[in-house]
Amino acid sequence: MSAAVKNLLVELFVEELPPKALRKLGDAFAGVLFEQLKAQGLATAESRLSAFASPRRLAAHVTAVADRAADKAVSQKLMPVSVGLDAAGNATPALLKKLQALGADAAAVAQLRRAPDGKAEALFHDSTVPGATLAEGLQKALHESLAKLPIPKVMTYQLADGWSDVKFVRPAHALVALHGADVVPVTALGLQAGRVTHGHRFEAAMEQVTIPDADSYAATLARDGAVIASFDERRAEIVRQLQAAAAQVGGGVRPIEDDALLDEVTALVERPNVLVCQFEPEFLAVPQECLILTMKANQKYFPLLDAAGRLTNRFLVVSNIRPADASAVIGGNERVVRPRLADAKFFFDQDRKRTLESRVPGLAKVVYHNKLGTQGERIERVRAIAKVVGAQMGSDHLAHEADIAARLAKADLLTDMVGEFPELQGIMGAYYARHDGLGDEIANAIEDHYRPRFAGDELPASQTGLVVAIADKIETLAGLFAIGQLPTGDKDPFALRRHALGIVRMLMERDLPIRLNELVIEALGLFPQAQPDTATQLTDFIYDRFAGLLREQGYSVQEVEAVLALRPQRLGDVAKRLAAVRAFAALPEAPALAAANKRIGNILKKADGAVDPHVSEVLLQEDAEKALYAAMRKLAPEALAQFEAGDYTASLRTLAALRGPVDAFFDDVMVNAEQTDLRLNRLGLLATLHQAMNRVADLSRLAT
């Protein structure tokens, strides 16, 4: 009998789920369920999955699910024929025991199949395994789906019988499992599957919502339960209402864009209703970052910005109810936000009663790391690095400005505002610096020294900001590497990878005249805990981050390895080097020269001791080595001049003309001649060639 194929719906109705985890929970629940059904042959490659997630439910809709999987032919190797059958062809005790373990008896011996297995012949037992029923398969899939949910912490609660305990992220109250219009008899978390669920906690048309069939799930919940079950549909509806409400306010205002906030609010409501609220205009005297953060973080509101990006005294609330008269909801939200804004104003006013400079001594009482001292000690290290970096970037004035900014950069950590909202560190320091009369250069540097905060973030805008940002990040890296606090696997509690990437981006994108090795050594010199190999460890770590960044920008692994193998110290040069390598690789001479370069490198490695890159013309005997030497005397100075002028592409193109002489040299000249002076001279010629060819990049890395 052929299997009946229908659409499947599974819903787990629970108490309010953690909002920040809801989307991940919904995707995981539906995804694992779907994969398990496919693995058991109940769903096919043509089946399609729709995931649903709301504050009180996780659900999955899968199309084209069979009520029974197809039977499966199984062939199991038993043992070699020589072991399973005796000389007369009768089953040995070993074979009978194996068959018994499979649930067969001696009668099955005649049905065993003999087939080649390597050099011998083996016995195989062929059987047909009945396909799983939907009830069996869904039960297994449901168990796996719940077991694999990404739940950091579970609750333990009692079932209705008063005896049994269940552990889950939140108490579950109903289970729906429908194959078409038929209930699938499965259980989970002490619940028996049915077709009854519950709608909106306050606005459902009926206390219990009956789902007639799998395909009417979303529509029935929307009609009878006042619930938009789909996370994506609910999110899109919130976006639509936010835009409509902003348009209703007028004046070109727009809601702040924040995907994380939007996801969290979507996970808090089942029937979104966006309302316009306001607060007293006098609160706008507080820095808008403070007001926006308190509204978003504490109240989950969407502040409204004007066309210039300035905060207005209007904000949007996403309510979970739709009363005929929303004035009470609006008034309640306006009343709740007022103390939050008053707190922010109080913090701002109190903080401005003390200068940043007056707070600096207090940093000596703040522990930075138990092995690295206080924030005060750390600030002195950052200042020392900033003065050196500022001087390297061209002026004593820059070094002086960077020293002031570095001294004050962490002072806002001791303010009330940053104590309440750590996310505002640096931002508040800039406001307080301007209030103290320190000017925009210092204020901007204090804010910018945390940048880039994340991948793709803006770099510090000013030179002073760049200096302090580099000093701050290299101090962090050097200190933690000095005490052995290196990232491991996916664990990077001090964000060292982000710090390294920030340094790379600043040095490269702003083409700063700073040598990476000197920067690392300068920073490590401030830490007596550093070991002899710490500088190499830290430098390699930074170049590894650099390599990853370059690959993300579209450069090939070979191109990146060729350039970074030389450990270029001016990171601003790297883009030009990569462009030169890419242009060189496109030349017809490139493959042969790359292979020759690799060969030369191997020859030089095998030579006894270091090879002096010096050539005695009188010891050149073969025509091929004379020709190579003559070509190098002509081309190498030209390539060197182009290299020193920064025209790396031209330098490599000039060296490409050496292909013919190099090929002829390896065809006609014995490098390891028995005569010592000849051998050393030829090695010197190759060392000179190797040196000339690898100034821009290690061309051997291009060899396939």
Side-chain angles (χ1 to χ4, degrees), residues 136-188:
E136 297 167 342
L138 181 57
Q139 185 66 66
K140 180 181 177 182
L142 193 54
H143 176 77
E144 285 292 312
S145 179
L146 295 177
K148 292 182 178 179
L149 281 179
I151 305 171
K153 187 178 291 187
V154 298
M155 294 177 62
T156 301
Y157 60 95
Q158 283 188 327
L159 297 179
D161 62 14
W163 295 96
S164 306
D165 284 345
V166 172
K167 293 184 178 181
F168 194 55
V169 60
R170 293 291 186 271
H173 296 295
L175 177 65
V176 175
L178 296 174
H179 188 230
D182 302 324
V183 174
V184 184
V186 293
T187 61

Side-chain angles (χ1 to χ4, degrees), residues 497-536:
R497 295 185 179 97
R498 177 165 55 81
H499 283 308
L501 197 56
I503 290 173
V504 164
R505 284 190 57 205
M506 287 184 281
L507 295 180
M508 179 181 71
E509 294 177 26
R510 295 298 167 83
D511 193 13
L512 300 180
I514 298 170
R515 297 179 64 81
L516 183 58
N517 273 359
E518 293 176 3
L519 180 65
V520 168
I521 292 168
E522 181 70 34
L524 285 173
L526 301 170
F527 296 96
Q529 305 97 321
Q531 300 299 310
D533 63 342
T534 305
T536 301

Side-chain angles (χ1 to χ4, degrees), residues 364-449:
K365 300 176 183 178
V366 179
V367 175
Y368 166 56
H369 190 287
N370 62 350
K371 294 183 180 179
L372 297 173
T374 65
Q375 284 284 5
E377 291 171 307
R378 178 169 184 249
I379 283 300
E380 292 305 311
R381 293 192 294 264
V382 173
R383 289 179 66 190
I385 299 169
K387 283 188 279 190
V388 172
V389 172
Q392 287 178 345
M393 286 175 58
S395 75
D396 293 337
H397 173 73
L398 178 58
H400 176 69
E401 292 285 288
D403 181 45
I404 296 173
R407 174 173 167 77
L408 301 175
K410 305 297 182 184
D412 67 350
L413 296 177
L414 299 179
T415 62
D416 291 340
M417 188 72 81
V418 174
E420 181 70 15
F421 301 111
E423 302 94 327
L424 295 177
Q425 56 189 286
I427 294 171
M428 295 314 302
Y431 278 106
Y432 297 143
R434 289 189 180 91
H435 179 264
D436 294 346
L438 294 173
D440 286 343
E441 184 72 16
I442 300 297
N444 290 336
I446 290 173
E447 179 176 354
D448 283 356
H449 90 277

Side-chain angles (χ1 to χ4, degrees), residues 238 241 269 271-275 317-323 326:
I238 292 173
Q241 290 190 36
V269 299
R271 192 187 193 197
N273 181 30
V274 174
L275 303 171
V317 175
V318 183
S319 174
N320 194 33
I321 55 176
R322 297 183 183 180

Side-chain angles (χ1 to χ4, degrees), residues 265-508:
V265 169
T266 303
L268 286 168
V269 299
E270 291 193 309
R271 192 187 193 197
N273 181 30
V274 174
L275 303 171
V276 181
C277 304
Q278 62 183 347
F279 58 83
E280 289 77 3
E282 53 262 31
F283 286 121
L284 293 175
V286 179
Q288 69 176 41
E289 292 90 346
C290 308
L291 304 182
I292 289 171
L293 185 58
T294 192
M295 284 191 282
K296 285 167 46 178
N298 294 322
Q299 304 303 133
K300 316 306 175 190
Y301 296 158
F302 287 85
L304 286 174
L305 308 179
D306 65 17
R310 294 185 298 265
L311 180 67
T312 70
N313 69 320
R314 303 287 189 95
F315 60 94
L316 302 179
V317 175
V318 183
S319 174
N320 194 33
I321 55 176
R322 297 183 183 180
D325 180 5
S327 59
V329 179
I330 292 172
N333 280 282
E334 291 177 347
R335 187 169 59 253
V336 167
V337 80
R338 196 170 294 118
R340 296 287 188 181
L341 302 183
D343 285 346
K345 184 175 186 305
F346 175 77
F347 293 147
F348 185 55
D349 291 341
Q350 289 298 111
D351 287 342
R352 288 183 296 169
K353 292 179 180 179
R354 291 184 59 190
T355 64
L356 287 178
E357 181 64 39
S358 71
R359 297 180 187 274
V360 171
L363 292 172
K365 300 176 183 178
V366 179
V367 175
Y368 166 56
H369 190 287
N370 62 350
K371 294 183 180 179
L372 297 173
T374 65
Q375 284 284 5
E377 291 171 307
R378 178 169 184 249
I379 283 300
E380 292 305 311
R381 293 192 294 264
V382 173
R383 289 179 66 190
I385 299 169
K387 283 188 279 190
V388 172
V389 172
Q392 287 178 345
M393 286 175 58
S395 75
D396 293 337
H397 173 73
L398 178 58
H400 176 69
E401 292 285 288
D403 181 45
I404 296 173
R407 174 173 167 77
L408 301 175
K410 305 297 182 184
D412 67 350
L413 296 177
L414 299 179
T415 62
D416 291 340
M417 188 72 81
V418 174
E420 181 70 15
F421 301 111
E423 302 94 327
L424 295 177
Q425 56 189 286
I427 294 171
M428 295 314 302
Y431 278 106
Y432 297 143
R434 289 189 180 91
H435 179 264
D436 294 346
L438 294 173
D440 286 343
E441 184 72 16
I442 300 297
N444 290 336
I446 290 173
E447 179 176 354
D448 283 356
H449 90 277
Y450 286 104
R451 290 180 176 167
R453 296 172 184 257
F454 51 85
D457 190 19
E458 293 180 359
L459 300 182
S462 69
Q463 291 287 88
T464 307
L466 281 169
V467 172
V468 182
I470 290 170
D472 181 66
K473 289 173 174 56
I474 196 64
E475 190 279 340
T476 300
L477 286 164
L480 291 163
F481 266 71
I483 61 172
Q485 294 279 350
L486 281 64
T488 55
D490 59 350
K491 294 181 180 179
D492 187 8
F494 298 102
L496 299 187
R497 295 185 179 97
R498 177 165 55 81
H499 283 308
L501 197 56
I503 290 173
V504 164
R505 284 190 57 205
M506 287 184 281
L507 295 180
M508 179 181 71

